[in-house]
């Protein structure tokens, strides 16, 4: 079965299945979502209007047995940043879409009136139904209801009330193998889905397998790849402690933004660290390791239970823990876990929302450290869409504007995540130049600046940072197109058998003859395509800047400022 | 002798400690301290003295804090 583009038009409720045009045949994941958005969406359109398109694409290797290849890319013009956006997530959807022969699911137009719909993706196309019962409900209820209506095995992609209200912090949930949630977190893509009137997308299970051009070569390569991942030392730490293992090391390096980016270390770091989480999960009978999709050999996810041993949250990430924890000075992991659960259910980005709450703390709306009040705001203001809830739901930049705060950590209106750019200068270059707004995953220099993966570049010196960020952003754009989870990058950086095995799998799957350089040039092409979209949307080099306070205020303990010149930042694009 | 504080992280804590003051002879390198703690050199991913990355040959001074991490990742 050849892979096709499934196109759903919500203006006239029509569905078309199209052969994939040849220029997109070699693309998947981010490469494909960004190419479709760049070629079909007017960069100047309103992100929540009928001209925007929401595109889902499994990676090139999703649906195969390749380890960690089940990531789903989602793209559109972002209502938060106004830039192009790709956000990827785990869960079962990518593998299921790929097996249905769906190379991309494109949702376009906008329905008339206030009606809500569901989509059901089948091997023969997409069935559009009106939806009433689940309107206003949270993501957990949607996943459960689809399970009851259609059965356990259906994949589910959904939005919560925040997406329905078209909040710029709204995310898109994807059901994981155990009925829990993973998210396309950043950039407000949930609001775009809401603007299309789509409450959820159910994906029919299938027995189809992916056709592989050279099965023998594929299984050789995929074995080598899985082995390289499994034996990389980072894998052990991620499996035991999750990504939250980073709290202590980033804190020690003086780069853990605390108290709305006024400190580089958080007093309560120990109580929110991966080590503490690990102990607590074991005590309470949770699961220390867990994969967000079948075939993950790293298993950075976990199941975190409350004091009574009842499920509280999973996929409890460093970024989320940092944002509600260190940034808002909340040092109680249980409160942070409860917030995480609530935010997943309401359908909002944990980073953007928590950083917005940190900005509100700075404005004196609530006290730093008041986790209970933060929970109340989530439950009673954001989930219900009160005027204050909608300010927080507009993201950190909107919150800063509403309350006259000058220390607002955003780039292109997207909240800066869990590494202070003054103390890790490489990541500052990534925040400034990423086509997505402030996004750590776009070019994760922490690997080299802090974790000694792929060498070491001194985090406090400007030396080598632009080049480091550029190389990583190019490589990441390519990896994001394969369907591979970004944590494969640690092995790719350190183990020379890993990248060739990855390229080999792509070749064996499609019968192509790509070399490693082709993959790099693919990454460069994707970045340029995205950058070009942003330029056409009206962005200029002046938008590739960090907020002024980073250059004015010293960050303890190293007492460092952001000190790159504009020309130095702009040289990022010299490739 | 020099008094320093040593902090361990993740699985390096198992059977050892979280944080402890240690007296070391002057000129003792980070590599030597790691060895004294019975930690295998290739288990060590990152070492920092006073929140700055350091090499195995670095020598902590009086009152310094040495942090020892296994190779960790995430993001
Ligand atoms: S390592 Fe984590 S994010 Fe990556 S595929 Fe596995 S569970 Fe998902």
């Amino acid at each position: 079965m050849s892979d096709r583009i499934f196109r759903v038009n919500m203006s006239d409720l029509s569905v078309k299945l199209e052969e994939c045009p040849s220029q997109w045949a070699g693309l998947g994941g981010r490469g494909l979502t960004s190419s479709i958005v760049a070629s079909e969406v007017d960069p100047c359109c309103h992100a929540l209007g009928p001209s925007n398109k929401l595109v889902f694409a499994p990676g090139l290797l999703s649906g195969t047995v390749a380890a960690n290849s089940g990531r789903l890319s989602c793209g559109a013009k972002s209502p938060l940043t106004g830039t192009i956006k790709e956000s990827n997530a785990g869960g079962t959807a990518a593998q299921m879409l790929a097996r249905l022969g769906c190379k991309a699911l494109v949702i376009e137009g906008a329905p008339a009136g206030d009606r809500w719909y569901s989509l059901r993706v089948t091997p023969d196309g997409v069935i559009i139904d009106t939806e009433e019962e689940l309107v206003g409900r949270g993501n957990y209820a949607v996943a459960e209801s689809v399970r009851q209506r259609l059965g356990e095995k259906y994949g589910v992609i959904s939005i919560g009330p925040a997406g329905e209200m078209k909040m710029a912090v709204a995310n898109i949930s994807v059901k994981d193998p155990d009925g829990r949630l993973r998210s396309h977190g950043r950039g407000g893509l949930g609001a775009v889905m809401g603007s299309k009137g789509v409450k959820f997308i159910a994906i029919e299970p299938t027995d189809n397998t992916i056709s592989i051009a050279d099965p023998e070569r594929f299984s050789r390569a995929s074995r080598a790849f899985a082995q390289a991942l499994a034996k990389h030392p980072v894998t052990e730490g991620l499996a035991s402690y999750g990504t939250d293992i980073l709290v202590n090391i980033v804190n020690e390096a003086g780069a853990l933004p605390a108290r709305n980016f006024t400190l580089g270390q958080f007093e309560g770091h120990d109580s929110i660290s991966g080590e503490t989480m690990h102990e607590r999960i074991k005590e309470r009978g949770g699961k220390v390791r867990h994969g967000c999709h079948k075939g993950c050999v790293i298993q950075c996810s976990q199941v975190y239970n409350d004091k009574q041993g009842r499920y509280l949250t999973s996929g409890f990430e460093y970024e989320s823990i940092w944002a509600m924890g260190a940034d808002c000075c909340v040092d109680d992991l249980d409160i942070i876990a409860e917030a995480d659960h609530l935010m997943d259910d309401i359908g909002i980005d944990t980073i953007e929302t928590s950083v917005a709450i940190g900005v509100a703390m700075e404005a004196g709306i609530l006290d730093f450290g008041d986790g209970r009040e933060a929970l109340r705001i989530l439950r009673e203001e954001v989930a219900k869409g009160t005027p204050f809830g909608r300010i927080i739901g507009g993201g950190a930049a909107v919150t800063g504007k509403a309350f006259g705060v000058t220390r607002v950590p955003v780039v292109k209106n997207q909240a800066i995540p869990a590494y202070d750019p003054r103390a890790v200068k490489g990541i500052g270059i990534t925040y400034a130049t990423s086509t997505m707004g402030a996004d750590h995953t776009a070019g994760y220099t922490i690997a080299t600046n802090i974790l000694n993966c792929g060498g070491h570049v001194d985090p406090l010196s400007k030396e080598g940072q632009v080049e480091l960020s550029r190389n990583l952003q190019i490589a990441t754009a390519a990896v994001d197109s394969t369907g591979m989870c970004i944590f494969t990058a640690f092995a790719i950086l350190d183990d020379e058998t890993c990248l060739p095995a990855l390229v080999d799998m792509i070749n064996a799957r499609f019968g192509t003859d790509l070399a490693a350089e082709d993959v790099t040039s693919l990454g460069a092409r994707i970045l340029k395509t995205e950058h070009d979209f942003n330029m056409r949307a009206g962005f200029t080099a002046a938008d590739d800047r960090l907020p002024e306070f980073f250059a004015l205020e010293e960050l303890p303990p190293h007492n460092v400022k952001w000190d790159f010149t504009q020309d130095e930042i702009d040289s990022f694009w010299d490739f | 002798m020099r008094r320093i504080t040593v902090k361990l992280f993740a699985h390096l804590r198992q059977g050892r400690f979280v944080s402890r003051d240690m007296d070391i002879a002057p000129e003792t390198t980070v590599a030597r301290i790691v060895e004294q703690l019975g930690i295998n050199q290739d288990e060590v991913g990152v070492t920092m003295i006073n929140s700055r990355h350091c090499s195995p040959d670095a020598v902590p001074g009086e009152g310094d804090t040495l942090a020892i991490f296994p190779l960790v990742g995430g993001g």
Side-chain angles (χ1 to χ4, degrees):
Chain A
M1 183 176 50
S2 74
D3 294 338
R4 290 178 295 184
I5 310 269
F6 289 35
R7 208 180 271 279
V8 179
N9 186 321
M10 295 306 295
S11 297
D12 59 10
L13 303 179
S14 65
V15 177
K16 270 195 299 199
L17 299 193
E18 298 166 358
E19 292 308 315
C20 180
S22 59
Q23 76 269 24
W24 293 343
L27 298 174
R30 173 175 170 186
L32 187 54
T33 62
S34 286
S35 296
I36 293 177
V37 172
S39 78
E40 297 189 2
V41 174
D42 172 4
C44 296
C45 76
H46 195 294
L48 301 178
S51 308
N52 200 4
K53 300 191 182 190
L54 186 69
V55 184
F56 293 94
L60 287 170
L61 294 169
S62 302
T64 70
V65 298
N68 289 62
S69 63
R71 303 283 297 183
L72 181 66
S73 285
C74 178
K77 172 171 168 157
S78 160
L80 180 74
T81 63
T83 64
I84 199 165
K85 174 61 63 178
E86 183 267 356
S87 172
N88 64 71
T92 58
Q95 293 166 323
M96 297 181 74
L97 286 172
R99 290 189 189 127
L100 289 175
C102 177
K103 192 157 174 79
L105 171 64
V106 182
I107 305 173
E108 49 195 41
D114 250 353
R115 304 194 81 157
W116 287 95
Y117 297 87
S118 70
L119 307 182
R120 184 142 63 92
V121 186
T122 76
D124 310 311
V126 180
I127 298 161
I128 307 174
D129 262 321
T130 52
E131 176 63 39
E132 278 165 19
E133 184 197 326
L134 290 173
V135 177
R137 305 295 302 277
N139 284 309
Y140 276 100
V142 175
E144 176 53 24
S145 165
V146 175
R147 188 185 70 80
Q148 284 173 12
R149 287 187 208 175
L150 298 171
E152 192 88 58
K153 294 215 166 98
Y154 264 78
V156 185
I157 298 172
S158 65
I159 57 170
E164 293 177 31
M165 290 185 271
K166 303 176 194 67
M167 289 181 179
V169 301
N171 67 14
I172 297 177
S173 280
V174 185
K175 196 176 92 161
D176 85 359
D178 302 311
R180 284 150 192 161
L181 307 176
R182 308 292 299 189
S183 332
H184 295 283
R186 309 224 65 194
L189 294 177
V192 179
M193 188 155 148
S195 75
K196 306 291 177 209
V198 176
K199 177 66 180 171
F200 71 86
I201 303 165
I203 306 164
E204 193 172 294
T206 170
D207 294 330
N208 292 349
T209 51
I210 301 279
S211 64
I212 305 276
D214 184 344
E216 218 165 281
R217 183 178 181 192
F218 190 91
S219 59
R220 239 187 353 252
S222 91
R223 225 174 302 129
F225 185 75
Q227 269 164 13
L229 294 186
K231 74 166 199 271
H232 193 275
V234 156
T235 299
E236 186 191 336
L238 278 174
S240 305
Y241 302 97
T243 56
D244 197 36
I245 195 170
L246 292 173
V247 165
N248 279 333
I249 192 165
V250 178
N251 185 72
E252 188 67 26
L256 188 74
R259 225 182 160 80
N260 190 34
F261 287 76
T262 54
L263 302 168
Q265 289 178 321
F266 176 46
E267 254 188 359
H269 65 95
D270 239 341
S271 45
I272 64 167
S273 69
E275 286 89 340
T276 300
M277 172 154 75
H278 178 89
E279 290 310 315
R280 206 166 273 183
I281 289 175
K282 282 201 307 197
E283 272 162 37
R284 296 177 179 176
K287 265 196 207 160
V288 168
R289 59 196 314 176
H290 177 252
C292 73
H293 67 270
K294 209 167 147 233
C296 165
V297 299
I298 300 178
Q299 306 211 319
C300 77
S301 180
Q302 61 297 101
V303 174
Y304 185 95
N305 291 342
D306 67 11
K307 285 194 187 95
Q308 282 74 42
R310 286 176 313 219
Y311 171 78
L312 192 50
T313 197
S314 66
F316 196 21
E317 305 283 349
Y318 164 68
E319 301 292 334
S320 313
I321 294 169
W322 158 78
M324 183 51 71
D327 194 48
C328 295
C329 298
V330 174
D331 60 6
D332 182 336
L333 203 50
D334 285 340
I335 289 188
I336 302 170
E338 203 175 326
D340 192 61
H341 178 94
L342 267 172
M343 289 190 269
D344 284 350
D345 198 39
I346 300 166
I348 50 182
D349 178 21
T350 53
I351 300 176
E352 192 67 44
T353 309
S354 303
V355 172
I357 290 175
V359 170
M361 286 173 166
E362 165 114 24
I365 309 298
L366 69 164
D367 291 334
F368 278 106
D370 193 349
R372 298 255 161 242
E373 175 63 7
L375 289 176
R376 190 201 64 78
I377 289 170
L378 292 172
R379 224 180 252 124
E380 290 171 25
E381 311 271 0
V382 182
K384 297 198 174 136
T386 65
F388 177 52
R390 283 177 187 263
I391 289 173
I392 297 290
V398 165
T399 304
K401 268 207 181 113
F403 295 108
V405 177
T406 50
R407 193 181 297 107
V408 183
V410 296
V411 178
K412 302 184 180 77
N413 285 328
Q414 180 164 288
I416 292 179
Y419 316 87
D420 196 296
R422 287 164 289 193
V424 195
K425 299 207 187 279
I427 203 72
I429 295 293
T430 297
Y431 296 155
T433 56
S434 162
T435 51
M436 305 286 154
D439 177 353
H440 62 292
T441 64
Y444 192 65
T445 73
I446 307 307
T448 315
N449 284 151
I450 302 288
L451 309 174
N452 289 359
C453 244
H456 180 70
V457 173
D458 181 359
L460 298 187
S461 153
K462 295 203 290 183
E463 199 71 39
Q465 308 290 7
V466 171
E467 196 190 351
L468 176 66
S469 173
R470 185 193 297 127
N471 291 341
L472 287 170
Q473 289 199 49
I474 289 172
T476 303
V479 171
D480 282 346
S481 302
T482 60
M484 287 296 161
C485 152
I486 193 65
F487 300 144
T488 61
F490 294 104
I492 293 174
L493 282 171
D494 282 336
D495 181 335
E496 57 203 20
T497 65
C498 203
L499 183 61
L502 177 58
V503 177
D504 231 24
M505 284 192 288
I506 297 172
N507 285 331
R509 153 99 157 93
F510 296 99
T512 47
D513 219 355
L514 302 173
E517 305 82 72
D518 298 318
V519 176
T520 317
S521 63
L522 169 69
R525 216 164 60 232
I526 295 167
L527 281 191
K528 294 259 166 137
T529 302
E530 294 169 346
H531 188 236
D532 177 65
F533 179 95
N534 292 348
M535 295 289 153
R536 287 186 287 130
F539 286 84
T540 66
D543 296 295
D544 287 357
R545 303 290 177 256
L546 298 189
E548 188 189 24
F549 78 88
F550 287 115
L552 298 179
E553 299 174 5
E554 284 185 348
L555 182 77
H558 296 302
N559 302 324
V560 275
K561 292 181 182 174
W562 176 251
D563 51 0
F564 278 91
T565 66
Q566 308 201 351
D567 287 345
E568 284 166 341
I569 298 172
D570 296 342
S571 71
F572 173 87
W573 288 106
D574 298 342
F575 64 93
Chain B
M1 294 301 258
R2 283 177 183 168
R3 169 143 294 204
I4 63 165
T5 303
V6 178
K7 298 201 274 190
L8 302 179
F9 296 91
H11 67 263
L12 298 183
R13 289 178 173 176
Q14 280 161 28
R16 295 195 188 87
F17 54 85
V18 174
S19 171
R20 177 183 287 174
D21 288 345
M22 274 174 74
D23 293 318
I24 55 165
E27 305 315 313
T28 311
T29 62
V30 167
R32 181 81 192 106
I33 297 167
V34 165
E35 196 185 310
Q36 282 173 9
L37 291 169
I39 298 170
N40 217 320
Q41 208 52 250
D42 51 334
E43 277 181 80
V44 176
V46 174
T47 49
M48 293 183 210
I49 296 175
N50 301 337
S51 294
R52 296 285 281 137
H53 288 72
C54 66
S55 77
D57 320 321
V59 176
E62 175 66 30
D64 282 354
T65 297
L66 170 65
I68 307 174
F69 298 87
L71 256 184
V72 301

